[in-house]
């Protein structure tokens, strides 16, 4: 089985969620710096319009298929991926590993009240992991104080919730300055951990309509939803050219 599946120039990991977790866990044990992008159609469409962001994504160690649209596109291109790997689920699995192995975790991003509640909830739910530190997302890109705070924490896991493209750009700009760490952009995941936004019920997740549940909860996201049909259109056009 090939390791990567190319969708509109973005190389997605061709792995199940469990296989992904196993690879990341091994990297943690080896203290191997790892940059993870969880990409959905919206992120792919943005990368197609922004070459700098596409270059950043291509330097990632793992690009995870976080979105039903990505799974659909892979099927359309007759190069199917095994399953969707939701970024939030992957983050929770890594928190479980951190709890089990007593690892250090750093949380970066979101609003101040959200990040504080996130850290409080994580400390309660995963009592054996070590909170290496946290900082809200309202800082300038080149703020060395934030960078130094993360560096000094020497964390095993660094979750960055700044939203794309900012979270991936921040990771790319700074990860070489750190000794170790699994760096993962997690978008709005802190809102769910904090309890300010509810995760879609399991049935919605299984039906691959979690995006619709989020839209109902956050109607202001409707403009962003246009990326999905545009993405599918691009895939169809690419498939026609390929054939």
């Amino acid at each position: 089985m090939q390791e990567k599946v190319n969708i509109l120039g973005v190389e997605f990991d061709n792995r199940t969620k469990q296989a992904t977790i196993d690879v990341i866990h091994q990297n943690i044990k080896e203290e191997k710096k790892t940059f993870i992008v969880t990409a959905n159609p919206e992120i792919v469409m943005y990368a197609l319009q922004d070459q700098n962001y596409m270059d950043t994504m291509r330097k990632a160690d793992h690009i995870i298929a976080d979105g039903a649209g990505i799974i659909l596109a892979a099927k359309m291109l007759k190069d199917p991926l095994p399953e969707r790997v939701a970024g939030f689920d992957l983050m929770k699995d890594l928190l479980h590993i951190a709890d089990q192995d007593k690892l250090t975790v750093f949380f970066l991003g979101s609003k101040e009240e959200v990040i504080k509640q996130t850290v409080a909830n994580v400390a309660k739910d995963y009592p054996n992991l070590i909170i290496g530190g946290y900082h809200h997302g309202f800082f300038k890109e080149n703020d060395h104080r934030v960078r130094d705070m993360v560096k000094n924490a020497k964390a095993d896991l660094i979750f960055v919730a700044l939203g794309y493209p900012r979270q991936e750009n921040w990771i790319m700009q700074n990860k070489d300055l750190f000794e170790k760490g699994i760096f993962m952009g997690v978008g709005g995941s802190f809102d769910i951990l904090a309890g300010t936004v509810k995760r879609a019920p399991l049935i919605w997740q299984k039906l691959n309509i979690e995006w619709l549940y989020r839209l109902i909860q956050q109607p202001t996201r409707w403009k962003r939803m246009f990326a999905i049909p545009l993405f599918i259109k691009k895939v169809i056009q690419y498939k026609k050219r390929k054939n």
Side-chain angles (χ1 to χ4, degrees):
M1 184 178 74
Q2 61 186 30
E3 286 192 6
K4 304 283 183 180
V5 170
N6 188 308
I7 299 175
L8 302 181
V10 177
E11 298 272 350
F12 284 88
D13 282 20
N14 191 13
R15 290 192 182 97
T16 61
K17 186 176 81 159
Q18 189 54 56
T20 300
I21 292 163
D22 291 343
V23 169
I24 297 169
H25 196 183
Q26 188 58 39
N27 287 355
I28 294 169
K29 290 175 182 175
E30 295 174 5
E31 296 193 352
K32 182 180 175 183
K33 275 190 285 192
T34 305
F35 174 19
I36 302 167
V37 175
T38 60
N40 57 20
E42 195 179 340
I43 285 175
V44 173
M45 290 300 291
Y46 187 89
L48 289 171
Q49 296 163 30
D50 188 314
Q51 189 58 49
N52 289 334
Y53 187 58
M54 180 66 88
D55 291 343
T56 293
M57 287 184 67
R58 285 175 176 162
K59 289 171 185 170
D61 298 289
H62 302 285
I63 301 181
I64 310 300
D66 181 6
I70 301 297
I71 302 302
L72 175 60
K75 283 181 184 174
M76 289 168 66
L77 295 171
K78 300 200 177 344
D79 212 353
L81 289 159
E83 63 178 327
R84 178 192 172 210
V85 181
F88 181 75
D89 292 337
L90 181 58
M91 181 183 68
K92 286 200 76 176
D93 285 328
L94 292 175
L95 286 171
H96 177 74
I97 287 171
D99 189 56
Q100 169 190 294
D101 295 355
K102 298 181 180 177
L103 303 176
T104 301
V105 185
F106 196 100
F107 299 86
L108 178 63
S110 204
K111 297 176 183 175
E112 188 156 10
E113 61 271 23
V114 171
I115 188 74
K116 283 181 178 177
Q117 191 59 56
T118 294
V119 169
N121 290 351
V122 167
K124 181 181 70 176
D125 295 340
Y126 306 93
N128 297 314
L129 63 72
I130 300 158
I131 304 289
Y134 63 92
H135 195 284
H136 60 73
F138 296 87
F139 61 90
K140 291 183 178 178
E141 302 299 313
N142 58 355
D143 190 331
H144 63 86
R145 292 171 300 174
V146 173
R147 181 195 66 205
D148 291 346
M149 187 185 292
V150 179
K151 184 179 179 181
N152 294 335
K154 295 182 179 178
D156 300 288
L157 292 162
I158 301 95
F159 294 118
V160 186
L162 300 173
Y164 79 88
R166 192 176 167 217
Q167 59 194 17
E168 286 79 27
N169 289 338
W170 187 90
I171 291 169
M172 195 67 240
Q173 287 163 12
N174 293 288
K175 75 180 183 71
D176 288 344
L177 303 170
F178 307 137
E179 293 174 26
K180 62 176 182 176
I182 306 297
F183 298 84
M184 178 175 163
V186 296
S189 293
F190 291 175
D191 290 300
I192 302 173
L193 283 178
T196 55
V197 172
K198 284 185 180 179
R199 180 87 192 273
L202 197 56
I203 185 66
W204 291 64
Q205 295 175 43
K206 287 183 175 178
L207 290 171
N208 285 327
I209 53 171
E210 192 169 3
W211 60 271
L212 180 59
Y213 187 86
R214 289 184 70 189
L215 181 60
I216 292 166
Q217 277 205 305
Q218 298 171 293
T220 53
R221 292 176 59 89
W222 70 270
K223 284 184 182 177
R224 297 170 68 176
M225 291 298 111
F226 282 130
I228 297 173
L230 290 174
F231 170 75
I232 297 301
K233 184 181 176 184
K234 277 268 188 191
V235 171
I236 293 168
Q237 290 169 343
Y238 174 79
K239 186 180 177 183
K240 284 180 181 176
R241 287 198 306 269
K242 198 176 175 184
N243 294 335

